[in-house]
Amino acid sequence: MAEHVTIHEVGPRDGLQNEPGVISVADKVALIDLLGTSGLTDIEVGSFVSPKWVPQMANTPDVLTKMTRVAGCTYGVLVPNMRGWDSFAPFAGGPFEVAVFISASEGFSQSNLNCSVAESIVRLTPVVSAAEAAGVPVRGYVSCITDCPFDGPTQPESVAKAVADLRSVAPMQVSLGDTLGRGEPARVATMLDAVLDIAPADQLAGHFHDTGGQALENVSVALEKGLRHFDSAVGGLGGCPYAPGAPGNVATEAVLAHVTALGYTTGVDGDVITQAAALARSMKG
């Protein structure tokens, strides 16, 4: 029997947040609703962050209110601090998952969060506690798993420590982000070996950007190491606004074709994903 790979669609959040202008609520909802018909079970739909710093996500509450909630699908929202939690709290009874994030590098943490990695753990701990108290699942993100735009190459031990620190707060799944898209398969393998010493493969996900054209090779490496969860964005949109020169999440349609060709099942309709990719590419703020 073929093994299953779960695709975590991040287009409506990580994909659209890097657009120069704000995407309308109607357009975001149309994309999310189309994705919801594809068989995806995990879709990241927004974030509760300061509109001053990420204006593209300011309409997240309206998106959550108006989108169609498909049975069996979990919808992820990024909640970096308790101010964000207070804004998210009215939705805590729905099919939502809270995502928290840290960096494996100090330079990126200071640029993105204006604090050290250790301080970022302190900030997110009450968010995790509030989510657990409300019965909301939590997922973690670690950025800069191979390279930092400020510090250069990231040591595998730093990534392992970041994962361990997150999972010491709660036993969450952790998505490992190649934020710059510079990760080479050999370096990704070395990093994964270090992380797998402190977390099981089924509690890890690969989040690869295709800036360097090696995202699918890195997916293959992660599959060989036992990972079965991968983040991707329809149309290959997105990136991090705080990581200069790092556009382009790996495209969902490419990951879907890749893992299917390798013999894995996903439960995702490729025709719908193709339609969603075209819709995502047409969205400009």
Side-chain angles (χ1 to χ4, degrees), residues 223-271:
L223 285 167
E224 291 170 3
K225 297 293 183 180
L227 275 66
R228 297 293 182 266
H229 292 259
F230 296 95
D231 298 356
S232 59
V234 284
L237 297 182
C240 179
Y242 292 92
N249 289 287
V250 65
T252 301
E253 56 272 26
V255 174
L256 181 59
H258 185 68
V259 299
T260 300
L262 292 173
Y264 296 91
T265 64
T266 63
V268 178
D269 187 327
D271 290 339

Side-chain angles (χ1 to χ4, degrees), residues 102-106 117 142-147 153-166 176 186-199:
I102 64 173
S103 173
S105 71
E106 292 293 341
V117 175
V142 173
S143 57
C144 298
I145 59 167
T146 63
D147 297 270
T154 304
Q155 296 303 310
E157 295 75 17
S158 297
V159 185
K161 184 179 186 306
V163 173
D165 288 346
L166 267 181
L176 303 168
R187 294 177 62 213
V188 168
T190 301
M191 177 275 301
L192 286 174
D193 285 341
V195 174
L196 286 165
D197 282 341
I198 54 90

